Amino acid sequence: ALAVIAHARGRLDALINNAGVLAAGPLEELPEGALRAVMEVNFFGAIDLTRTFLPLMRKNRDGVIVMVSSLSGLIGLPFDGAYAASKFALEGASESLRYELEPFGLKVALVEPGAYNTPLGDATRAASTTSSEYPQFKRLRAARAAQAPSGADPAEAARIIVDTITQHAPQLRVPCGAQALAATQQLRGLEGAARRDFALAAAGITADP
């Protein structure tokens, strides 16, 4: 792909890293392969693709790299540890990359979506509830299995990504959608027990054991 773009266009103005997978479950019980797969796709995949195209983008000293992160890159929810770890890693690496690339005229932006109705759930691997020692996880999985698909129209997220690319100087972190904007504002003032309560509520579980 790099050779084709370089030959046909001689430049790349925007790169969007949007691939993602989930692995739900207690970190203790997640199969190692599932945990590593999440990191490979969500973190290493985005970084490897970026590193591949950076020489072409640096040559033109212009362009935007969009990393599609998540609210899970801002707070770790129960039984979401693998996904949160991958997004926390992506957030940190992207911030470092933004400062490294500034002298070359390149911009890096983290788009942080809330819940959207996408096939991401179809790519979910989960720990077994049959043998799980975590009652909350069993209840959560049963409740989610009974729910109809939900979330905002992903076309909204696409528009926000396009707007981010077309801005002359996009901000580092871009809350994506009303839910993300509200949650981001709320998280700024949460510490300790209040942050814990927010995480439990966002995961859809009760505070009891």
Side-chain angles (χ1 to χ4, degrees):
L2 173 61
V4 171
I5 293 172
H7 176 73
R9 305 286 297 179
R11 60 182 295 134
L12 180 66
D13 297 309
L15 174 64
I16 304 169
N17 287 298
N18 187 44
V21 295
L22 290 168
L27 279 173
E28 177 188 357
E29 297 176 350
L30 272 177
E32 182 179 344
L35 178 58
R36 291 186 180 276
V38 171
M39 293 301 298
E40 285 292 341
V41 174
N42 297 0
F43 176 68
F44 287 110
I47 298 303
D48 287 349
L49 192 65
T50 299
R51 284 157 52 97
T52 296
F53 283 98
L54 267 178
L56 179 61
M57 298 183 78
R58 270 193 298 101
K59 185 176 72 172
N60 290 291
R61 305 185 74 85
D62 187 31
V64 179
I65 299 167
V66 173
M67 302 290 199
V68 179
S69 181
S70 168
L71 290 180
S72 291
L74 304 178
I75 184 170
L77 304 185
F79 313 123
D80 189 41
Y83 189 69
S86 69
K87 294 302 185 179
F88 266 77
L90 186 64
E91 292 260 339
S94 298
E95 183 167 1
S96 295
L97 187 64
R98 179 180 172 102
Y99 306 144
E100 293 168 2
L101 296 181
E102 280 180 350
F104 300 101
L106 301 178
K107 296 94 176 176
V108 177
L110 284 153
V111 172
E112 299 165 333
Y116 282 91
N117 189 2
T118 72
L120 179 61
D122 298 338
T124 300
R125 299 174 67 180
S128 171
T129 56
T130 305
S131 58
S132 179
E133 295 291 333
Y134 292 78
Q136 290 178 326
F137 175 58
K138 293 180 179 180
R139 293 196 295 268
L140 180 62
R141 291 299 295 177
R144 289 188 175 174
Q147 291 174 349
S150 62
D153 184 349
E156 176 189 66
R159 288 193 296 270
I160 292 172
I161 290 172
V162 171
D163 288 345
T164 300
I165 291 170
T166 55
Q167 289 174 14
H168 177 67
Q171 63 192 50
L172 171 61
R173 291 181 169 86
V174 182
C176 187
Q179 181 198 30
L181 182 59
T184 300
Q185 293 172 339
Q186 212 173 339
L187 282 170
R188 289 188 186 127
L190 293 182
E191 296 292 342
R195 185 177 174 91
R196 167 187 174 272
D197 291 344
F198 181 95
L200 292 177
I205 63 177
T206 58
D208 58 290

